[in-house]
Amino acid sequence: MDLLDAVMLCLLVTLAVTTAVAWRSGNERRDVNLLAVLTALWGAGTAAALGW
């Protein structure tokens, strides 16, 4: 695993945790949905980079 792959995975986990915490703490639905979309896009990018 490259350093870039490790950084991408760490950021993916951080985004997922941030989304979960934002949802559980009752933040605005619009903001939580934005975080969820960003997490999904970053996850797709990470999967593509790791599969490359």
Side-chain angles (χ1 to χ4, degrees):
M1 178 181 294
D2 291 326
L3 178 63
L4 179 63
D5 296 341
V7 170
M8 289 181 77
L9 281 174
C10 287
L11 189 54
L12 178 62
V13 169
T14 303
L15 280 169
V17 168
T18 303
T19 303
V21 168
W23 179 69
R24 289 187 56 94
S25 65
N27 284 344
E28 285 190 35
R29 186 171 178 87
R30 180 182 50 122
D31 296 337
V32 175
N33 286 340
L34 177 62
L35 273 172
V37 168
L38 287 173
T39 302
L41 288 173
W42 191 263
T46 302
L50 289 176
W52 189 266

